[in-house]
Amino acid sequence: MEEEMRLLLQDLDSLKQSLPSSCLNSIDAIQDRAGKIMNLSRTSNSRRSKVKDMSAEVVDSNPYSRLMALQRMGIVENYERIRNFSVAIVGIGGVGSVAAEMLTRCGIGRLLLYDYDTVELANMNRLFFRPDQVGMTKTDAAVQTLSDINPDVVLESYSLNITTVKGFDVFVNSLKSGVDLVLSCVDNYEARMVVNQACNELGQTWMESGVSEDAVSGHIQLLVPGETACFACAPPLVVASGVDERTLKREGVCAASLPTTMGVVAGLLVQNALKYMLKFGQVSPYLGYNSLKDFFPTMEMRPNPQCSNAACVDRQKEYMKSKPARDAAAKAKIEAEASSLNEEPLHLDNEWNISVVDDNDAGASTSEKAPSILPEGLVHELPTADNYPEQVGPTETGGIDDDLEELQRQLDALNSS
Amino acid sequence: MEEEMRLLLQDLDSLKQSLPSSCLNSIDAIQDRAGKIMNLSRTSNSRRSKVKDMSAEVVDSNPYSRLMALQRMGIVENYERIRNFSVAIVGIGGVGSVAAEMLTRCGIGRLLLYDYDTVELANMNRLFFRPDQVGMTKTDAAVQTLSDINPDVVLESYSLNITTVKGFDVFVNSLKSGVDLVLSCVDNYEARMVVNQACNELGQTWMESGVSEDAVSGHIQLLVPGETACFACAPPLVVASGVDERTLKREGVCAASLPTTMGVVAGLLVQNALKYMLKFGQVSPYLGYNSLKDFFPTMEMRPNPQCSNAACVDRQKEYMKSKPARDAAAKAKIEAEASSLNEEPLHLDNEWNISVVDDNDAGASTSEKAPSILPEGLVHELPTADNYPEQVGPTETGGIDDDLEELQRQLDALNSS
């Protein structure tokens, strides 16, 4: 629009040259007005320019100061590495769009976005999309919003259905460009199985997410082909029933959804994605969210040697074959860390800043530090591969059942309470 | 801007009347261009009109279909009641702004927003504010965004500092207009104590939220004056140290923050606010979020009879005095519910739609329903007041210590694992 305004001002100028002097006042007035409009349009479209390096400088104009502070706080060793990562988000709906916004605001290097749907007013009960984007494809609307928020992020969008033959090809090829993590944020079983297929074929680590049709529970899950259960190995625990939204709509009913549940699931998903990429904390293999009781079940799911997905079984075999090399590397790393720990204590400034107020203090103004509730001087890494149970043999299928039974026990205990 | 464009077109029209015919072509061209610009500006400002009633109709144009579906799913008895509620949000930062957006998208009746700060580029690592809003007050920017998202919500904004004498007066008076819940989303200890003071004086139920300075943990807490611990009764567990951001900035350091942690905390906060107002599920008295381990500690905190806050002690006395009436009302309610339960089973359609896939099924395409993991035919209400421990006597202070010790045990167990 700014360009259009510039051309209009140019037109007025040339008109001015050709007019009798009696008209000049009117033209001047019109030019004034046009200049004012140009300023208004400029304000509403002001975008910051790209920044070359992420600075830790604490000034109001630095969009990365609060993120780079994660280093000073001892949480992340090298935050700027985030610019080297590419994340693919499949499904730009209630969870995927918020996940994309979070990663964009964190300054991720590159985002690949996949969706075939358009924005509707019926989506407005979830975060991210705006009413003025109704009718746009979700990918176009997302690129519009995200590029305004952070021009440093490279955005690639694919308006396609990954469950079609052609869509699947484009999807798989785009992942071959070098993607560090795939986030599945789709709303049906078929699309999840397609993401699973692509990631198993490529040996691509991914995270799955879902929200129940009654809108009050959800989950996230880490899937590392060959190392953890794939989506076909183990049953999804809390997942939409697999009925396409279009079918539901034809019948005059739709799934419920809440911006809260979807915001929490997106937050848990991207938090675990950050932990995975930037190597801090512990990545959850599975994390549920039951919002009615604020209950968060966790579990691990081992791969099923009899999985129906052939690519999964291939990845499992490769994973077993590479075990000796992995063990050696893990041992060397532990030894290297142990020797560096002897040199100097790490992360002295890693504090939680808990303030404890004395109950009996009438003024309630003094505070004292409670003992830190984080392990002193430790930064947690992604659990090494070998922390996952090792017994993956052709006759061993009990693992999945055990885990499911354990989760069922947790849920039963919850329901009877 | 649209108005300005309209006037410009008018000016061009009158200019046309007074010009020689040789100039008319140029004017026509300019008018064309101006019309195009007007369309562009209109598109980017299109807002939906207010709706009179919340409809459950499943059409793409209905912004409330997915929320009204909560009734059909058996989660909420009467969703449209949300339009009768007023929520005050103190602090429109990383948590408060997202909480405001969630409530706006849920169709809350009225939102009161309080903040004294302006939007900076340094805030862009959290959700909600856009780079083009830099320099605006946070309240103005929030009203701009929220009224575009949902024109049905009545927005009242207060750009003031509640910790000043004048600000506190305006704050307390605004709450007297009839507010159902106050959400505290401030980033310092002093402001929390001020919200606590106002709510204790007014007997106003509120929820507190906070995110740690290292950005990787947070909490929410329900505070019912007289019934639960107030903010002065018990020490905050995970809270910013109380150092003002301005002081920090002067020293060239700032707290870290992440859109993920803040999004999760805002989601948990508003989810509990919805459960409280719309009476479903269980409202958490306290819920922590440790993102490094995905650990969510819970606890209850009883009021401290020796609390330094006089208004808190007054509310405690009133609460004890009204116990017989509360007991009678609770008993009558239970009896009424029991008799209505005998008439017909409630919520037959309350299903979680879990699909369980048979591990040994090569096709993995069939699915069967698992037994419901929600208690059959039950909708959980806010725990009645009397579920909170009753021993509030002048010599009883052990409750708080016990709870803290229990939490410390949970955290110790976590750290040693």
Side-chain angles (χ1 to χ4, degrees):
Chain A
M1 193 160 74
E2 212 176 313
E3 175 61 14
E4 291 283 339
M5 284 306 304
R6 205 185 50 76
L7 291 173
L8 187 135
L9 283 168
Q10 219 169 57
D11 288 350
L12 285 170
D13 249 346
S14 46
L15 181 68
K16 209 167 160 181
Q17 313 298 325
S18 63
L19 283 186
S21 59
S22 62
C23 292
L24 289 187
N25 279 348
S26 321
I27 294 279
D28 281 347
I30 293 173
Q31 279 183 323
D32 270 3
R33 198 183 295 287
K36 215 165 136 191
I37 294 169
M38 183 133 175
N39 281 338
L40 279 171
S41 94
R42 224 177 242 149
T43 321
S44 69
N45 285 311
S46 72
R47 278 176 61 172
R48 73 167 172 86
S49 50
K50 292 193 185 204
V51 302
K52 196 168 166 291
D53 299 300
M54 278 190 177
S55 153
E57 198 193 353
V58 181
V59 287
D60 288 341
S61 56
N62 179 4
Y64 296 118
S65 58
R66 307 295 202 273
L67 295 164
M68 293 297 281
L70 288 165
Q71 293 182 188
R72 199 183 56 80
M73 296 276 173
I75 302 295
V76 178
E77 209 173 300
N78 179 0
Y79 187 83
E80 202 165 358
R81 282 184 64 214
I82 199 164
R83 301 187 91 162
N84 303 331
F85 292 110
S86 291
V87 175
I89 304 183
V90 189
I92 313 299
V95 174
S97 63
V98 180
E101 180 172 348
M102 286 173 171
L103 284 168
T104 296
R105 291 185 183 265
C106 283
I108 191 82
R110 190 169 65 116
L111 273 186
L112 296 82
L113 309 172
Y114 309 81
D115 204 297
Y116 64 95
D117 212 358
T118 52
V119 180
E120 306 291 353
L121 269 186
N123 305 137
M124 292 306 135
N125 69 319
R126 286 150 270 180
L127 298 179
F128 193 75
F129 291 116
R130 303 185 307 261
D132 63 77
Q133 295 176 321
V134 165
M136 292 174 78
T137 64
K138 285 186 178 173
T139 48
D140 281 353
V143 168
Q144 180 187 61
T145 299
L146 299 176
S147 58
D148 275 347
I149 290 172
N150 190 344
D152 296 333
V153 178
V154 177
L155 299 168
E156 279 173 36
S157 68
Y158 299 86
S159 190
L160 53 79
N161 183 346
I162 60 162
T163 67
T164 62
V165 174
K166 202 185 152 205
F168 183 76
D169 274 353
V170 176
F171 176 50
V172 169
N173 280 323
S174 66
L175 293 184
K176 285 180 185 163
S177 69
V179 163
D180 299 282
L181 189 63
V182 173
L183 303 181
S184 167
C185 306
V186 298
D187 63 358
N188 65 82
Y189 181 79
E190 191 190 358
R192 284 185 177 87
M193 288 299 276
V194 167
V195 175
N196 188 60
Q197 180 63 36
C199 291
N200 278 343
E201 285 180 13
L202 299 169
Q204 170 72 57
T205 297
W206 62 294
M207 287 182 187
E208 136 70 4
S209 67
V211 173
S212 65
E213 289 187 345
D214 63 6
V216 288
S217 58
H219 74 278
I220 62 168
Q221 184 180 341
L222 172 70
L223 297 101
V224 186
E227 191 177 325
T228 69
C230 89
F231 197 72
C233 280
L237 283 157
V238 177
V239 121
S241 69
V243 183
D244 193 282
E245 280 239 323
R246 278 143 208 270
T247 321
L248 285 169
K249 267 192 255 176
R250 247 180 272 126
E251 291 164 18
V253 294
C254 65
S257 58
L258 281 166
T260 44
T261 311
M262 291 188 155
V264 169
V265 170
L268 297 175
L269 178 69
V270 176
Q271 194 85 294
N272 275 279
L274 293 175
K275 289 191 283 183
Y276 172 80
M277 292 185 287
L278 298 174
K279 299 198 183 302
F280 67 97
Q282 293 172 351
V283 179
S284 289
Y286 177 96
L287 177 64
Y289 169 41
N290 169 338
S291 78
L292 294 182
K293 301 202 174 192
D294 283 334
F295 171 63
F296 300 82
T298 55
M299 65 182 299
E300 292 195 15
M301 283 186 280
R302 284 165 268 176
N304 178 0
Q306 292 169 348
C307 179
S308 60
N309 187 294
C312 170
V313 177
D314 288 347
R315 295 297 91 72
Q316 290 183 45
K317 285 177 189 154
E318 288 167 13
Y319 182 73
M320 289 311 294
K321 211 178 270 176
S322 64
K323 190 175 182 309
R326 252 191 341 273
D327 285 347
K331 199 179 157 209
K333 199 181 167 202
I334 288 167
E335 284 169 359
E337 280 174 356
S339 70
S340 85
L341 268 175
N342 290 339
E343 285 163 26
E344 48 169 327
L346 280 170
H347 308 299
L348 274 178
D349 55 354
N350 186 354
E351 294 168 2
W352 269 34
N353 289 303
I354 297 173
S355 51
V356 175
V357 179
D358 187 346
D359 295 333
N360 301 316
D361 177 0
S365 60
T366 58
S367 65
E368 53 183 73
K369 291 263 159 65
S372 170
I373 51 180
L374 263 189
E376 277 296 329
L378 275 180
V379 168
H380 310 284
E381 293 242 310
L382 182 66
T384 60
D386 296 321
N387 285 347
Y388 287 93
E390 287 157 26
Q391 326 90 305
V392 180
T395 57
E396 169 71 50
T397 57
I400 295 157
D401 295 340
D402 287 351
D403 282 333
L404 284 176
E405 275 164 25
E406 171 53 28
L407 192 75
Q408 193 60 51
R409 260 195 301 279
Q410 288 183 46
L411 292 166
D412 287 346
L414 182 75
N415 286 335
S416 64
S417 69
Chain B
M1 194 161 74
E2 212 176 313
E3 175 61 13
E4 291 284 338
M5 284 306 304
R6 206 185 50 76
L7 292 172
L8 188 135
L9 282 168
Q10 221 168 55
D11 289 349
L12 286 170
D13 248 346
S14 46
L15 180 69
K16 209 166 161 182
Q17 312 297 326
S18 62
L19 283 187
S21 57
S22 62
C23 293
L24 289 187
N25 279 349
S26 323
I27 293 280
D28 281 347
I30 293 174
Q31 278 184 322
D32 269 4
R33 196 182 296 287
K36 213 165 138 192
I37 293 169
M38 185 134 176
N39 281 338
L40 278 171
S41 94
R42 224 178 242 150
T43 321
S44 69
N45 285 309
S46 73
R47 280 174 60 173
R48 75 166 170 86
S49 51
K50 293 194 184 202
V51 302
K52 198 169 163 290
D53 300 301
M54 278 190 177
S55 154
E57 199 192 354
V58 182
V59 288
D60 288 340
S61 57
N62 178 5
Y64 295 119
S65 58
R66 307 293 202 275
L67 295 164
M68 294 298 280
L70 288 165
Q71 294 182 187
R72 198 183 56 80
M73 296 274 174
I75 302 294
V76 178
E77 209 174 301
N78 179 0
Y79 187 82
E80 201 165 358
R81 283 183 64 214
I82 199 166
R83 301 185 91 164
N84 303 331
F85 292 110
S86 292
V87 175
I89 303 183
V90 189
I92 312 300
V95 173
S97 63
V98 180
E101 179 171 350
M102 287 173 170
L103 285 167
T104 296
R105 292 187 182 265
C106 283
I108 192 80
R110 189 168 66 115
L111 272 188
L112 295 83
L113 309 172
Y114 310 80
D115 205 298
Y116 65 95
D117 212 357
T118 52
V119 180
E120 307 290 354
L121 268 185
N123 304 137
M124 292 306 136
N125 68 320
R126 286 151 269 180
L127 299 179
F128 193 75
F129 291 117
R130 303 185 306 261
D132 64 77
Q133 294 176 320
V134 165
M136 291 175 77
T137 64
K138 286 187 176 172
T139 48
D140 280 354
V143 168
Q144 181 188 59
T145 300
L146 299 176
S147 58
D148 275 347
I149 290 172
N150 190 344
D152 296 334
V153 178
V154 176
L155 298 169
E156 280 173 36
S157 69
Y158 299 86
S159 188
L160 54 80
N161 182 346
I162 61 162
T163 66
T164 63
V165 175
K166 202 184 152 206
F168 183 75
D169 273 353
V170 176
F171 176 50
V172 169
N173 279 324
S174 66
L175 293 184
K176 285 180 183 162
S177 68
V179 164
D180 297 283
L181 189 63
V182 173
L183 303 181
S184 168
C185 305
V186 298
D187 63 358
N188 65 82
Y189 181 79
E190 191 191 358
R192 284 183 176 89
M193 288 299 277
V194 166
V195 175
N196 188 58
Q197 180 63 36
C199 291
N200 277 343
E201 284 180 13
L202 298 169
Q204 170 72 57
T205 297
W206 62 294
M207 287 181 186
E208 137 69 4
S209 67
V211 172
S212 65
E213 289 186 346
D214 64 5
V216 287
S217 59
H219 73 278
I220 62 168
Q221 184 180 342
L222 172 69
L223 297 102
V224 187
E227 192 177 325
T228 69
C230 89
F231 196 73
C233 280
L237 284 157
V238 178
V239 120
S241 68
V243 182
D244 193 283
E245 279 239 323
R246 279 144 208 270
T247 319
L248 286 170
K249 267 191 256 177
R250 246 179 274 128
E251 291 163 18
V253 294
C254 65
S257 58
L258 281 166
T260 44
T261 310
M262 290 190 156
V264 169
V265 170
L268 297 175
L269 179 69
V270 176
Q271 194 85 295
N272 276 280
L274 293 174
K275 289 191 282 183
Y276 172 80
M277 291 186 287
L278 298 173
K279 297 196 185 304
F280 67 97
Q282 293 173 351
V283 179
S284 289
Y286 176 96
L287 177 64
Y289 168 42
N290 170 336
S291 78
L292 293 183
K293 300 202 174 192
D294 283 335
F295 171 64
F296 299 82
T298 56
M299 66 181 301
E300 293 197 14
M301 283 187 279
R302 286 165 265 177
N304 177 0
Q306 293 169 345
C307 179
S308 60
N309 187 295
C312 171
V313 176
D314 287 347
R315 295 295 91 73
Q316 291 184 45
K317 285 179 189 153
E318 287 167 12
Y319 183 74
M320 288 311 294
K321 212 178 267 175
S322 63
K323 188 174 185 308
R326 252 190 343 272
D327 285 348
K331 201 180 156 207
K333 199 181 166 200
I334 289 167
E335 283 169 0
E337 280 175 355
S339 69
S340 84
L341 269 175
N342 289 339
E343 285 162 26
E344 48 168 329
L346 283 170
H347 308 299
L348 276 178
D349 55 354
N350 186 353
E351 293 169 2
W352 269 35
N353 290 302
I354 297 173
S355 52
V356 175
V357 179
D358 188 343
D359 295 334
N360 301 316
D361 177 2
S365 60
T366 58
S367 65
E368 53 183 72
K369 288 264 159 59
S372 170
I373 50 178
L374 263 189
E376 276 296 327
L378 275 181
V379 169
H380 310 285
E381 294 243 310
L382 181 67
T384 61
D386 296 322
N387 285 348
Y388 286 94
E390 287 156 27
Q391 326 89 305
V392 179
T395 56
E396 169 70 51
T397 56
I400 296 158
D401 295 339
D402 287 351
D403 283 334
L404 284 177
E405 275 166 25
E406 171 54 27
L407 193 75
Q408 193 58 53
R409 259 195 301 279
Q410 287 183 47
L411 292 167
D412 287 344
L414 183 75
N415 286 335
S416 62
S417 71

